[in-house]
Amino acid sequence: MADKRKKCWSCTHYRAYYTKKLCHFEKENCGYCLTHKQIITDKHHTCDEWCLNAIRRRIRKDVSLKALNETLGNLVEIRQILVEEINDNEIYPLN
């Protein structure tokens, strides 16, 4: 079971390769090992230098949550402006 968790794709030293598609980038099943300076052809490969990348994931999660929180604040402001505009139009109709 412990062996299943220690795959290259979940290692700090692993960097996945991406291919450019028409409108997005698609992750490939291969990558590069920064420790061994070699191409990893199978993301399920394992090595002795494996290190959990939880810190990198946590940073990405924190950045994503911060961006979502800012977006939510912007949406609340837009909603408030629209509600006020609707209320003004009911009191003083344009017709």
Side-chain angles (χ1 to χ4, degrees):
M1 175 114 176
D3 227 16
K4 289 183 179 180
R5 288 184 32 231
K6 297 192 177 206
K7 305 292 183 184
C8 276
W9 62 268
S10 62
C11 178
T12 301
H13 308 295
Y14 178 79
R15 297 297 181 264
Y17 286 148
Y18 292 85
T19 55
K20 186 174 182 181
K21 300 295 181 181
L22 184 62
C23 299
H24 67 284
F25 288 93
E26 189 171 302
K27 188 184 275 191
E28 296 295 324
N29 288 330
C30 57
Y32 184 75
C33 180
L34 296 173
T35 301
H36 297 295
K37 307 281 191 245
Q38 66 182 8
I39 295 173
I40 305 295
T41 56
D42 181 22
K43 70 179 182 180
H44 299 291
H45 178 74
T46 61
C47 71
D48 296 334
E49 302 293 327
W50 187 88
C51 183
L52 181 65
N53 68 354
I55 294 171
R56 192 168 45 154
R57 286 183 189 166
R58 184 179 190 106
I59 290 171
R60 283 193 315 234
K61 181 180 175 183
D62 290 344
V63 168
S64 299
L65 287 174
K66 183 178 178 182
L68 285 172
N69 195 18
E70 290 176 5
T71 304
L72 179 63
N74 291 339
L75 288 173
V76 167
E77 290 176 12
I78 291 171
R79 180 184 180 278
Q80 182 64 32
I81 291 169
L82 291 174
V83 166
E84 290 174 0
E85 185 69 27
I86 289 170
N87 290 339
D88 287 347
N89 284 341
E90 288 176 359
I91 295 172
Y92 304 110
L94 297 175
N95 296 341

